[in-house]
């Protein structure tokens, strides 16, 4: 007997449970946008190359276009809609606004979710390809503009707002460190 | 995309049994390559067996001083692990040189080894490709091949393996372990990828239905001084046009032990054993490094538009080994 090609499942998104039946071919991105009206997450390339669809899964950034919805059951998913605290913007969102880290804004939800991941990864001591010495004895690299550019390289911005994006991520990381 | 069944595996024997029952089934790890290929129709599985939740996500020291890395460890966790960074820094650097932060969070070690080539003809269903459709021909030999193989290729296929991680693993003599319905098995990474020959669609020595369970790194004190260097067409987030993993133990100006592997030059990560042989016991000088690179690259057979890779790879050998020699002197 051929296996069933759809499943009923529950997705945990921004702290809320959503139950739906999906064709197994459905990506998390399409489930969010087409089924759950969470259209903040954007579809760019749909091939994992542009980062517009970035969300957080169990706190880690991931591209939702290459994530099958059925395989996301049981994970805690955070989309751009779940980043702010009610009407109070998250410091990363505020920094993007204050420093003009966008032009058209299409890539911005992905940039912000990615930046949240970058700040957490750096706080956890992860090195990057821009890190001169990855050995643990070398300590945690400073989050320089070069480090931010490398760590954010999975998020493209066709308007070319990169200069302000780097400043916004640096400012948000600095604010987070101060409040910690 | 062809529609497909989906099963989440909870233990290794269960996963292997599920896949073994269906020749059209595939294991799903992070999905960063498989889902993409399913969208384009290159991969058309009837069933996905999701192995992400299998208890294969640990990194442990082995009794002899090596490391054992589970197959579902993500690229991110591998690169961030203190013992990887301390004992095999080139492996951490190689992983960090690949893909983006998002993809490294999703991608797994087992999947990385089994990722497919990024040859544009392989992913273009309208073009002949012996790897995708055996016997249909190779479009790249006479086509767009500036980032194709210079070593070990045949007229049947000139595609390269895209992994950065695999280059460092090859330099450090990693061994792939796997499970089948008939029991476990293992394969040194040096023998894991099959020669291209006339069968480029047959890529690995894995038995049908086998599940990679992990990678074992033998102890390698030389790896403590190791680096990975990658050349690509933009500063970040691109596949290599040339790369090298190198490790060097040099004392009093003499090479005691050296490891060299190349990326983006062949259908598999390329261990430069001839270069290692020429260097061992000799002087650690730029001239010796260049001579060793030349010895390794004497076998290169570049295509019309990728001869630059011979020079590029030679330069990488000299630059990386010089850097490691200078580090040792500090």
């Amino acid at each position: 007997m051929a296996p069933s090609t759809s499943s009923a499942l529950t997705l945990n998104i921004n702290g809320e449970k959503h139950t739906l039946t999906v064709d197994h071919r459905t990506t998390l991105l399409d489930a969010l946008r087409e089924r759950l009206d969470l259209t903040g997450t954007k579809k760019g390339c749909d091939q994992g190359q542009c980062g517009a669809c970035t969300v957080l899964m169990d706190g880690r950034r991931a591209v939702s276009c290459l994530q099958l919805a059925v395989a996301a059951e049981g994970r805690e998913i955070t989309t751009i809609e779940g980043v702010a605290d009610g009407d109070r913007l998250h410091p990363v969102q505020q920094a993007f606004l204050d420093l003009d880290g966008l032009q058209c804004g299409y890539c911005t939800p992905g940039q912000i979710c990615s930046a949240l991941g970058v700040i957490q990864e750096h706080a956890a001591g992860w090195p990057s390809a821009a890190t001169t010495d990855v050995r643990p004895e070398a300590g945690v690299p400073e989050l320089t503009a070069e480090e931010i550019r490398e760590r954010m390289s999975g998020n493209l911005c066709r308007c070319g707002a990169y200069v302000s994006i780097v400043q916004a991520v640096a400012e948000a990381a600095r604010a987070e460190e101060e409040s910690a | 995309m062809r529609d497909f069944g989906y099963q989440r595996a909870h233990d290794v024997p269960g996963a292997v049994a599920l896949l073994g029952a269906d020749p059209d089934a595939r294991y799903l790890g992070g999905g960063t390559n498989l889902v993409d290929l399913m969208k384009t129709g290159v991969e058309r599985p009837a069933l996905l067996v999701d192995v992400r939740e299998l208890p294969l996500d640990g990194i442990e020291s082995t009794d002899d001083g090596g490391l054992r890395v589970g197959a579902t460890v993500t690229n991110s966790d591998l690169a961030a692990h203190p013992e990887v960074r301390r004992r095999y820094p080139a492996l951490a650097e190689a992983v960090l040189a690949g893909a983006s932060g998002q993809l490294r969070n999703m991608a797994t070690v087992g999947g990385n080894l089994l990722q497919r080539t990024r040859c544009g003809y392989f992913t273009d269903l309208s073009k002949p490709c012996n790897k995708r459709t055996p016997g249909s021909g190779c479009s790249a030999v006479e086509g767009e091949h500036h980032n194709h193989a210079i070593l070990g290729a045949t007229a049947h296929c000139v595609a390269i393996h895209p992994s950065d991680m695999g280059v460092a693993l090859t330099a450090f003599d990693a061994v792939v372990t796997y499970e089948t319905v008939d029991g476990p098995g293992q394969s040194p990474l040096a023998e894991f990828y099959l020669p291209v020959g006339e069968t480029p669609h047959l890529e690995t020595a894995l038995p049908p239905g086998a599940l990679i369970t992990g990678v074992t790194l033998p102890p390698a004190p030389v790896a403590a001084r190791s680096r990975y260097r990658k050349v690509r067409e933009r500063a970040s987030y691109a596949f290599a046009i040339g790369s090298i993993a190198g490790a060097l133990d040099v004392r009093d100006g003499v090479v005691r032990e050296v490891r060299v592997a190349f990326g983006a030059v062949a259908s598999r990560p390329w261990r430069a054993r001839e270069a290692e042989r020429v260097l061992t016991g000799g002087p650690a000088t730029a001239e010796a490094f260049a001579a060793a690179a030349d010895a390794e690259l004497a076998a290169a057979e570049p295509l019309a538009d990728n001869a630059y890779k011979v020079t590029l790879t030679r330069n990488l050998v000299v630059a990386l080994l010089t850097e490691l020699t200078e580090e040792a002197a500090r």
Side-chain angles (χ1 to χ4, degrees), chain A residues 3-5 23-25 27 46-51 54 58 60-63 65-68 70-75 114 121 125-129 132-137 139 150-151 153-156, chain B residues 1-6 8 28 30-32 35-36 39-40 46-48 50 52-53 74 76-77 79-80 82 85-86 89 92-93 96-97 99-106 224 227 232 235-237 327:
Chain A
S4 172
T5 58
D23 183 309
H24 292 155
R25 294 173 290 189
T27 61
D46 210 24
Q47 301 180 323
Q49 295 180 10
C50 78
T54 301
D58 296 331
R60 291 188 176 186
R61 55 194 172 135
V63 287
C65 72
L66 295 181
Q67 172 69 47
L68 295 173
V70 65
E73 187 170 37
R75 316 279 302 272
S114 194
E121 290 163 11
W126 291 13
S128 85
T132 315
D133 188 346
V134 300
R135 288 174 295 185
E137 292 73 19
E150 164 57 30
R151 290 167 190 257
S153 69
N155 291 81
L156 306 189
Chain B
M1 197 191 298
R2 176 185 182 182
D3 55 7
F4 56 88
Y6 171 88
R8 199 174 285 203
L28 174 68
T32 56
V35 173
D36 197 25
K39 288 186 181 191
T40 53
L47 173 70
L48 289 185
D50 189 343
R52 234 193 106 265
E53 289 185 359
T74 63
S76 292
D77 284 327
R85 291 156 58 191
R86 183 175 291 122
E93 290 184 346
L96 292 168
S100 66
Q102 290 96 316
L103 294 170
R104 290 192 296 272
N105 279 342
M106 302 169 77
R227 285 204 167 250
R232 41 189 158 182
S236 180
Y237 194 21
E327 268 185 39

Side-chain angles (χ1 to χ4, degrees), chain B residues 134-188:
Chain B
S136 62
C138 175
S139 305
V141 170
E142 299 288 330
E144 164 54 48
H145 58 227
H146 84 280
N147 196 15
H148 284 62
I150 56 170
L151 287 165
T154 71
H156 297 271
C157 183
V158 293
I160 56 170
H161 197 272
S163 176
D164 294 296
M165 175 193 294
V167 180
L169 289 175
T170 297
F172 299 144
D173 290 326
V175 176
V176 181
T177 56
Y178 55 81
E179 188 73 31
T180 73
V181 284
D182 300 322
Q186 61 178 45
S187 165

Side-chain angles (χ1 to χ4, degrees), chain B residues 62-204:
Chain B
T62 56
D63 292 341
D64 61 1
L67 275 186
R68 170 153 177 80
V69 181
T72 63
V73 168
T74 63
N75 287 24
S76 292
D77 284 327
L78 180 63
H81 197 278
E83 288 306 313
V84 174
R85 291 156 58 191
R86 183 175 291 122
R87 294 195 235 167
Y88 308 90
L91 175 57
E93 290 184 346
V95 174
L96 292 168
S100 66
Q102 290 96 316
L103 294 170
R104 290 192 296 272
N105 279 342
M106 302 169 77
T108 62
V109 168
N112 185 294
L113 295 175
L114 294 180
Q115 69 180 304
R116 312 300 299 277
T117 183
R118 265 55 176 197
C119 173
Y121 300 109
F122 174 70
T123 50
D124 182 349
L125 295 183
S126 72
K127 299 290 190 297
C129 170
N130 285 324
K131 193 183 273 300
R132 191 186 65 245
T133 312
S136 62
C138 175
S139 305
V141 170
E142 299 288 330
E144 164 54 48
H145 58 227
H146 84 280
N147 196 15
H148 284 62
I150 56 170
L151 287 165
T154 71
H156 297 271
C157 183
V158 293
I160 56 170
H161 197 272
S163 176
D164 294 296
M165 175 193 294
V167 180
L169 289 175
T170 297
F172 299 144
D173 290 326
V175 176
V176 181
T177 56
Y178 55 81
E179 188 73 31
T180 73
V181 284
D182 300 322
Q186 61 178 45
S187 165
L189 200 54
E191 295 159 26
F192 182 73
Y193 297 106
L194 302 176
V196 181
E198 298 180 4
T199 53
H201 60 292
L202 302 176
E203 295 184 345
T204 75

